[in-house]
């Protein structure tokens, strides 16, 4: 085969690009991932491919089965020692960013975080290796890629008088200033008001002491069948894709990254009467600790006097409903529809800052992002099996906090996964752990939890359940009907 000079030129350009993109990260680290400017959809997807090429053994890229309204992928990168599978006893974590399309800092931070984890793993950074080897980390840089494009395009259309030579320069030097344009999805629906509003069921159940406190699957389906959310807007494809992802994945801890303020926000986001008032969940103490794990490790979030244009938040944290009530938010949906505990982090006043500020935003958030992920390993975890050594999935795990000899029920159970593994985030203290599964005798163990800084393995509490007698099974049948 004879190569023309054009072919040869193409060959050299391609070879150069391949070498530049896939070479050793410490030599070429800035070539393929911009640290001083924003990534549009195409560049974001290319950046994820680039990171995967750098660290193929510890990364895996996948898309949710549904795409955005304008047909863009809802893409996720996993970082873990065995990225393609769920390993029993290894907890799963997620960060979701850019749900509001014009709140873009989280999107850029997650790209940078993926690159950082990849590089530091290769550099044998002990903390990062421990984290990656013992956690399955999912990063979704953009839940609303259509909104991002709308925000960027609007900014470009309205800054003609500033005479930027191109849109990329505009984003680097100026960002986007409109407070709302691009916030919603392409059908103009706010995705963080568009999740099934499970809070209303919880408040009703609490009223009747029903203790139906988690995995509200039937309630979720009932609401989705209604075809409109609590703001009377139709459920959106992005919401449905993410809601099923949450319900079907064994996530333990998560955060939803926003902009517009500087604070770590924790459940609940709604109050019983929809008024602005403190509305703690049964895990309120734990949630405040998780919020502080982010705000204290952040360079500015917990500083006294720190504020955007609203109120000052003590310690850089707030209960959602005490700040302003939101119905149909993703945070409470995680807590009430799955095993996953989610918080919402507001990463700064400026929603779409100039790209040149991204370096200092990374410096502000880097330790927080890592410190928060480490919290996936607080509390307890274990395997639930029968006497034959078979895994028991869907077992209910109830937690009682023990104080002064009294057992106090924490009204929020978790369930075991398909492999029989379970995870329960818990602050330090003494607890009784009760496991229930149909056809088996109830089992209880007593533990004292003492979390260590930077631990990458929660305390192990395994259960072997004994077969129930016929009489006990009949009683369980009666109880099952009663709880229905
Ligand atoms: Zn937001």
């Amino acid at each position: 085969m004879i190569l023309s000079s054009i072919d040869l030129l193409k060959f050299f350009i391609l070879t150069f690009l391949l070498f530049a993109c896939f070479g050793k990260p410490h030599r070429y680290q800035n070539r393929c991932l911009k640290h001083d400017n924003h990534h549009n959809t195409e560049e974001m997807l290319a950046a994820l491919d680039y990171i995967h090429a750098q660290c193929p053994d510890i990364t895996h890229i996948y898309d949710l089965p549904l795409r955005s309204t304008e047909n863009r992928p809802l893409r996720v990168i996993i970082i873990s020692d065995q990225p393609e599978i769920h390993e029993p006893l290894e907890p799963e974590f997620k960060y979701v960013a850019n749900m509001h399309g014009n709140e873009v800092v989280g999107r850029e931070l997650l790209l940078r975080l993926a690159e950082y984890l990849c590089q530091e793993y290769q550099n044998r950074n002990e903390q990062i290796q421990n984290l990656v080897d013992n956690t399955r980390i999912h990063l979704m840089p953009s839940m609303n890629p259509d909104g991002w494009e709308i925000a960027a395009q609007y900014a470009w259309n309205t800054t003609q008088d500033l005479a930027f030579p191109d849109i990329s320069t505009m984003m680097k030097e100026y960002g986007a200033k409109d407070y709302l344009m691009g916030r919603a999805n392409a059908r103009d629906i706010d995705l963080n008001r568009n999740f099934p509003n499970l809070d209303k069921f919880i408040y009703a159940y609490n009223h009747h002491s029903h203790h139906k406190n988690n995995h509200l699957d039937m309630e979720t389906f009932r609401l989705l069948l209604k075809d409109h959310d609590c703001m009377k807007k139709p459920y959106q494809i992005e919401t449905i894709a993410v809601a099923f992802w949450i319900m079907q994945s064994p996530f333990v801890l998560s955060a939803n990254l926003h902009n517009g303020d500087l604070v770590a926000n924790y459940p609940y986001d709604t109050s019983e009467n929809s008024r602005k008032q403190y509305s703690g969940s049964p895990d309120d103490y734990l949630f405040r600790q998780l919020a502080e794990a982010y705000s204290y490790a952040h360079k500015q979030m917990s500083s006294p006097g720190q504020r955007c244009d609203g109120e000052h938040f003590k310690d850089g944290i707030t209960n959602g409903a005490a700040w302003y009530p939101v119905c149909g938010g993703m945070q409470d949906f995680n807590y009430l529809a799955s095993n996953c505990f989610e918080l919402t982090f507001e990463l700064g006043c400026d929603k779409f800052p100039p790209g040149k500020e991204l370096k200092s935003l990374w410096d502000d958030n880097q330790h927080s992002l890592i410190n928060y992920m480490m919290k996936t390993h607080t509390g307890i975890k274990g395997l639930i099996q029968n006497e034959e050594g078979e895994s028991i999935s869907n077992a209910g795990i109830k937690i009682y906090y023990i104080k002064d000899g009294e057992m106090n029920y924490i009204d929020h159970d978790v369930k075991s996964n398909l492999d029989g593994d379970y995870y329960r985030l818990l602050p330090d203290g003494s607890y009784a752990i009760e496991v229930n599964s149909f056809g088996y005798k109830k089992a209880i163990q007593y533990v004292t939890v003492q979390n260590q800084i930077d631990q990458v393995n929660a305390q192990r509490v395994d259960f072997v359940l004994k077969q129930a007698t016929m009489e006990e099974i009949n009683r369980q049948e009666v109880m099952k009907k009663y709880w229905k």
Side-chain angles (χ1 to χ4, degrees):
M1 189 173 69
I2 299 165
L3 291 175
S4 69
S5 54
I6 299 281
D7 286 334
L8 271 176
L9 188 62
K10 275 189 197 161
F11 172 75
F12 281 121
I13 290 172
L14 268 174
T15 311
F16 172 76
L17 284 175
L18 274 172
F19 191 59
C21 288
F22 302 131
K24 288 247 162 43
H26 63 270
R27 289 178 63 189
Y28 296 104
Q29 60 184 359
N30 291 338
R31 293 268 170 90
C32 296
L33 196 67
K34 296 183 274 186
H35 291 172
D36 62 351
N37 206 355
H38 300 276
H39 296 76
N40 65 24
T41 304
E42 211 175 298
E43 292 164 339
M44 174 180 71
L45 301 181
L48 293 175
D49 286 343
Y50 164 67
I51 293 159
H52 175 61
Q54 298 275 8
C55 285
D57 295 340
I58 57 159
T59 58
H60 171 62
I61 292 175
Y62 68 100
D63 289 345
L64 300 198
L66 300 172
R67 293 163 78 92
S68 75
T69 305
E70 292 181 339
N71 206 31
R72 295 188 174 92
L74 300 173
R75 188 153 294 176
V76 181
I77 186 165
I78 296 183
I79 300 165
S80 191
D81 59 334
Q82 300 230 36
E84 292 188 39
I85 55 166
H86 171 73
E87 291 181 86
L89 294 172
E90 186 168 306
E92 308 218 4
F93 175 93
K94 71 175 153 64
Y95 275 130
V96 175
N98 198 214
M99 176 193 214
H100 289 145
N102 64 338
E103 298 172 16
V104 302
V105 172
R107 169 179 169 130
E108 297 303 324
L109 291 186
L110 291 194
L111 293 177
R112 188 79 192 264
L113 178 64
E115 186 194 44
Y116 176 79
L117 293 174
C118 161
Q119 289 177 348
E120 289 306 298
Y121 192 88
Q122 290 179 331
N123 291 340
R124 301 185 188 281
N125 172 329
E126 202 180 332
Q127 186 198 28
I128 298 304
Q129 277 191 328
N130 278 336
L131 178 69
V132 170
D133 285 342
N134 292 290
T135 327
R136 192 162 180 237
I137 301 162
H138 302 242
L139 307 177
M140 179 187 270
S142 181
M143 181 179 160
N144 183 7
D146 300 352
W148 190 96
E149 297 292 338
I150 291 166
Q153 193 57 48
Y154 182 81
W156 175 239
N157 295 345
T158 51
T159 52
Q160 299 300 335
D161 53 331
L162 298 177
F164 293 112
D166 52 56
I167 190 166
S168 179
T169 310
M170 175 212 72
M171 285 199 290
K172 182 172 179 175
E173 298 299 326
Y174 186 77
K177 299 287 178 265
D178 195 90
Y179 207 71
L180 288 176
M181 189 57 73
R183 172 186 174 89
N185 75 345
R187 289 208 171 86
D188 204 24
I189 309 288
D190 187 334
L191 299 177
N192 209 24
R193 307 289 183 276
N194 193 232
F195 277 78
N197 178 23
L198 298 177
D199 301 66
K200 71 170 187 181
F201 289 99
I202 282 297
Y203 286 124
Y205 294 150
N206 286 352
H207 231 62
H208 298 99
S209 317
H210 265 183
H211 301 306
K212 204 168 167 223
N213 54 27
N214 192 5
H215 285 85
L216 303 183
D217 301 353
M218 290 317 295
E219 290 82 350
T220 300
F221 291 122
R222 255 167 69 192
L223 290 177
L224 287 175
L225 284 173
K226 271 191 174 168
D227 214 36
H228 62 78
D229 63 18
C230 54
M231 307 293 283
K232 304 267 182 271
K233 304 284 188 191
Y235 288 107
Q236 297 299 294
I237 202 156
E238 294 90 350
T239 311
I240 291 167
V242 171
F244 280 97
W245 181 46
I246 290 165
M247 294 171 83
Q248 290 169 350
S249 313
F251 296 125
V252 175
L253 181 64
S254 168
N256 178 7
L257 306 180
H258 285 249
N259 273 102
D261 224 309
L262 190 64
V263 68
N265 174 102
Y266 56 90
Y268 288 130
D269 264 341
T270 56
S271 62
E272 191 165 2
N273 54 18
S274 304
R275 293 212 189 101
K276 178 176 161 165
Q277 64 185 44
Y278 196 103
S279 304
S281 73
D283 286 291
D284 196 54
Y285 183 68
L286 170 71
F287 272 123
R288 279 187 282 132
Q289 283 195 336
L290 291 169
E292 287 171 358
Y294 200 91
S295 72
Y296 285 159
H298 190 280
K299 282 215 174 129
Q300 316 195 29
M301 199 178 270
S302 64
S303 309
Q306 187 70 45
R307 67 176 68 218
C308 291
D309 45 12
E311 53 210 285
H312 166 68
F313 301 103
K314 189 175 177 307
D315 302 321
I317 69 171
T318 186
N319 170 258
W323 183 17
Y324 65 95
V326 162
C327 77
M330 182 161 75
Q331 168 188 273
D332 290 6
F333 179 81
N334 270 270
Y335 184 62
L336 299 175
S338 76
N339 286 330
C340 187
F341 287 55
E342 181 166 281
L343 279 78
T344 308
F345 300 144
E346 300 280 344
L347 301 180
C349 312
D350 200 350
K351 291 186 172 187
F352 203 137
K356 61 187 180 186
E357 291 177 15
L358 288 169
K359 278 183 185 163
S360 71
L361 283 159
W362 167 252
D363 290 342
D364 287 350
N365 286 281
Q366 180 190 342
H367 293 300
S368 310
L369 289 165
I370 305 289
N371 195 44
Y372 184 69
M373 285 195 283
M374 298 298 288
K375 299 299 166 197
T376 319
H377 300 281
T378 52
I380 58 167
K381 67 177 179 182
L383 283 177
I384 301 176
Q385 295 175 317
N386 63 17
E387 289 174 296
E388 279 75 52
E390 294 162 333
S391 305
I392 301 177
S393 62
N394 216 31
I397 295 109
K398 286 185 190 300
I399 306 290
Y400 299 85
Y401 175 53
I402 302 174
K403 197 178 173 203
D404 304 327
E406 297 267 314
M407 300 235 297
N408 304 284
Y409 179 39
I410 300 177
D411 198 353
H412 185 80
D413 304 349
V414 293
K415 290 187 173 181
S416 59
N417 297 321
L418 276 178
D419 296 307
D421 52 340
Y422 78 93
Y423 309 82
R424 184 57 165 89
L425 301 174
L426 289 171
D428 290 355
S430 296
Y431 300 92
I433 321 295
E434 179 189 310
V435 175
N436 293 282
S437 181
F438 187 71
Y440 295 97
K441 288 177 191 288
K442 177 180 14 184
I444 296 186
Q445 290 192 52
Y446 297 88
V447 297
T448 300
V449 171
Q450 262 188 315
N451 295 299
Q452 309 295 321
I453 291 170
D454 276 5
Q455 71 182 23
V456 283
N457 269 307
Q459 190 173 329
R460 181 103 180 247
V461 187
D462 292 344
F463 286 84
V464 176
L465 300 190
K466 294 197 169 94
Q467 203 78 40
T469 61
M470 270 325 285
E471 198 186 325
E472 285 165 333
I473 290 176
N474 287 339
R475 206 175 325 132
Q476 287 175 346
E477 280 285 6
V478 173
M479 291 302 281
K480 230 166 79 178
K481 278 186 195 134
Y482 173 74
W483 288 118
K484 263 185 193 165

